[in-house]
Amino acid sequence: MATTIRMPEVLANVTEAAVQKWLVAPGDEVAVGQPFAEIETEKAVVEYLAETAGTVLQLLIGEGDAVDVGAPIAIVGEAGEVAPASPAAAPPAASDGGSVVVPPSDAAAIPAAPAAPAAAPAAAPVAAPAPAPATPPADSGARRFVSPLVRRLAREKGLSLDGVVGSGPGGRIVRRDVQALLAAGAPAPAAPAASAAPAAAPAGLEPELIPTSRMRKTIARRLTESKSTVPHFYLTADCRVDRLLELRREINAIDGVKISVNDLVVKAVAAAFIDVPEANTTWTDEGMLRHRTADIAIAVSLDDGLVTPVVRGVESLSVTALSAAIGDLATRARSGGLKQHEIEGGSFAVSNLGMFGTPAFSAIINPPQAGILAVGAARPAPVVVDGALEVGTVMTVTLSADHRVLDGALAARWLAAFVARIENPVSILA
């Protein structure tokens, strides 16, 4: 009996996704657990594994097409079976996401999603879809399809998609096309012609309404839920980092090595969990989950939001290996290349705004994690040493803790352990 495969919820709270690449074709035999498709959201590309064994009878959407979670995307059944004419459909995708139509004259515009194609006749045989026609020339006035992730990448990189011939089915512009533009050093889109601007600015300008991206909506929902349901409390400490900065200079003096202050901070966070292991705990409805490794999420800023990929087992990594892992995750976060397991889980997070000169701030916990450390800029400040006043380099950190699992005394012990590791940085390398 034929089974309808529906768009899975590959990431928590994602309501829409696209098939970036089919890993099967009509007529293929698939087994449970076999790679079936690469599913693309605005945050990551996730490999979806088949949950039903059988023969692929029909692929219902093309590569690059975005639909709501739960919408039919494929049909699997027995060899020789005819696919049903009209599988039950999920509600249509929202107009602010999905495969959108981009007019050649305005690559940043986000018009309504195109109408769904008509269903195939009931008696039609099962066969691979016919090849789509090539993309029309850029000057033909034709409209082109762009997936949500590609739209975000082009916007972040300041790329114009005018005249781009997509390599996806039907000329759809996919991620590899944006990467090819970047590799070729494509220029940013030209500024609008002067004639398009008004002759003079009106006396009272109205505020501009900026459409909310799917990522921004997800961030808004998740953080509102966190502040509403997780009892936050905050602890602040000043760390003297003169020795830490000197250690960094010595490490970076070695040929081929380049680490950041943030790399050392993340390593110190993991070391503090070794000192106070009971703090490495998260809340679940079934009970408190004590973690045996330091799996730490790193906040990575994007042009239209942020993601928090997780580095696993930080306590077992050298500082240079940790630096390489963080750099790789940050690079792929900005290019949309993160996988599902890389942005899920973790027991703790680090958010560093020191590079922007921010002296101190507090951050919102990202469940299921039980805490986040907000790291400010290292700055000259007066310090007292053996009763005498001198100038030192100080970094302020603020711990946001989940009071369901971390009481004040436990959180204070962990923060003290972190400060001790930062102020005695050689211990971080052990």
Side-chain angles (χ1 to χ4, degrees), residues 74-313:
I75 299 176
V76 173
E78 298 179 0
E81 186 177 0
V82 176
S86 301
S95 62
D96 62 342
S99 277
V100 300
V101 182
V102 178
S105 60
D106 186 2
I110 309 179
V126 178
T135 300
D139 59 0
S140 67
R143 307 203 312 169
R144 295 155 300 130
F145 293 98
V146 184
S147 72
L149 181 60
V150 168
R151 184 177 72 238
R152 175 171 69 81
L153 290 178
R155 184 171 62 247
E156 288 177 356
K157 302 299 182 182
L159 296 177
S160 171
L161 299 180
D162 287 353
V164 174
V165 178
S167 60
R172 182 171 283 105
I173 302 173
V174 294
R175 185 173 62 164
R176 59 178 173 265
D177 299 321
V178 174
Q179 292 170 335
L181 285 176
L182 292 173
S195 60
L205 290 175
E206 292 296 325
E208 178 187 4
L209 180 63
I210 301 174
T212 307
S213 69
R214 180 74 64 177
M215 175 180 287
R216 179 53 59 188
K217 287 181 178 179
T218 299
I219 292 171
R221 181 177 66 254
R222 292 274 295 165
L223 296 187
T224 299
E225 290 173 355
S226 175
K227 288 291 286 186
S228 302
T229 62
V230 177
H232 288 57
F233 74 98
Y234 309 92
L235 297 177
T236 300
D238 288 331
C239 314
R240 186 165 183 181
V241 294
D242 299 87
R243 294 172 63 186
L244 183 82
L245 297 178
E246 180 59 31
L247 176 64
R248 176 178 177 252
R249 281 190 290 268
E250 292 175 1
I251 294 174
N252 286 346
I254 302 172
D255 288 342
V257 176
K258 182 68 172 178
I259 66 170
S260 68
V261 171
N262 195 61
D263 299 331
L264 295 171
V265 167
V266 174
K267 187 65 176 174
V269 166
F273 281 125
I274 295 175
D275 300 333
V276 189
E278 56 270 37
N280 196 14
T281 304
T282 56
W283 176 267
T284 72
D285 290 338
E286 292 74 29
M288 294 189 295
L289 189 64
R290 180 70 54 82
H291 299 270
R292 299 182 183 274
T293 59
D295 300 339
I296 302 173
I298 312 298
V300 177
S301 176
L302 307 176
D303 284 353
D304 61 346
L306 61 87
V307 291
T308 52
V310 179
V311 182
R312 315 278 174 181

Side-chain angles (χ1 to χ4, degrees), residues 287-386:
M288 294 189 295
L289 189 64
R290 180 70 54 82
H291 299 270
R292 299 182 183 274
T293 59
D295 300 339
I296 302 173
I298 312 298
V300 177
S301 176
L302 307 176
D303 284 353
D304 61 346
L306 61 87
V307 291
T308 52
V310 179
V311 182
R312 315 278 174 181
V314 174
E315 78 287 346
S316 63
L317 298 176
S318 67
V319 173
T320 52
L322 173 62
S323 179
I326 293 175
D328 173 64
L329 288 172
T331 297
R332 290 189 289 112
R334 295 185 176 106
S335 67
L338 292 175
K339 299 299 184 182
Q340 178 179 5
H341 70 278
E342 294 172 328
I343 56 178
E344 291 186 335
S347 60
F348 196 82
V350 172
S351 179
N352 191 336
L353 294 180
M355 66 287 293
F356 299 104
T358 303
F361 68 105
S362 58
I364 300 174
I365 296 169
N366 184 28
Q369 297 150 18
I372 182 170
L373 189 70
V375 182
R379 66 198 187 280
V383 295
V384 177
V385 180
D386 297 330

